Amino acid sequence: MAGPSREERAWVKGAQAGSAADLERLFRAHWPLAFRAAVLVVRDAAAAEDIAQESFLAAVRALDRFDRRRPFGPWLHRIVVNRAIDWTRTRALRAEVREDAAVPATDEPRDSDAPALVAALAGLSPEHRAVIVLRHLLDYSPGEIADILELPRGTVNSRLRRGLDQLREAIGEELR
């Protein structure tokens, strides 16, 4: 994993010292990918915005413990993806408990992702969806994903393989 740029290290140092301007720079630099990761895991734009904001606030609260020799983005993405997975699990549990168990349709991400891929991605478990998003949409290596999610690399590779196999199957069926 490449280290942070000098600029990012300076922003983190400034934010740790209480600089609102440096904190804003960190936010502007990392918000788009944090939100994208959340929306692709939870499939609900409003919830994703809340998750990304809460994650950024959690990162800010823990900034004094952050090692600025490491890149800020992967650390933030770990927080975002873990919160998104928790949100998805909680929502699934609530749906099981409700008598009507009908889950309203969620907002689809409004970007260049192919509709078939987005629909297939939504069919994956949150754990599989998270590693696919981190690997193929945010361009992290499997080793970086293992670090971000604090999982063994073999688990990441297994989830990637199973998730990709499920995506191929789902997309193949939709195209027939």
Side-chain angles (χ1 to χ4, degrees), residues 1 73-75 77 134-136 138-142 144-145 148:
M1 189 178 303
W75 183 62
H77 292 146
L134 288 168
R135 176 70 182 114
H136 295 286
L138 298 179
D139 295 322
Y140 285 107
S141 71
E144 290 170 328
I145 296 168
I148 290 169

Side-chain angles (χ1 to χ4, degrees), residues 107-166:
D107 295 336
E108 296 294 329
R110 290 179 175 88
D111 58 13
S112 62
D113 294 324
L117 177 60
V118 172
L121 195 58
L124 298 178
S125 71
E127 294 80 11
H128 288 106
R129 196 177 321 145
V131 295
I132 297 290
V133 165
L134 288 168
R135 176 70 182 114
H136 295 286
L137 300 173
L138 298 179
D139 295 322
Y140 285 107
S141 71
E144 290 170 328
I145 296 168
D147 289 343
I148 290 169
L149 297 178
E150 297 178 335
L151 294 171
R153 182 149 179 190
T155 301
V156 169
N157 288 337
S158 172
R159 288 181 183 177
L160 279 170
R161 176 58 37 222
R162 287 188 182 131
L164 288 172
D165 288 347
Q166 290 173 1

Side-chain angles (χ1 to χ4, degrees), residues 4 10 14 24 47 51 58 61 64 72 84 105 122 141 152 163:
E24 183 178 345
I51 288 165
R61 284 191 290 272
D64 60 326
F72 182 80
S141 71

Side-chain angles (χ1 to χ4, degrees), residues 32 36 70 77 81 84 104 109 123 162 168:
R36 181 174 172 86
R70 299 183 58 108
H77 292 146
V81 168
R162 287 188 182 131
R168 278 189 203 97

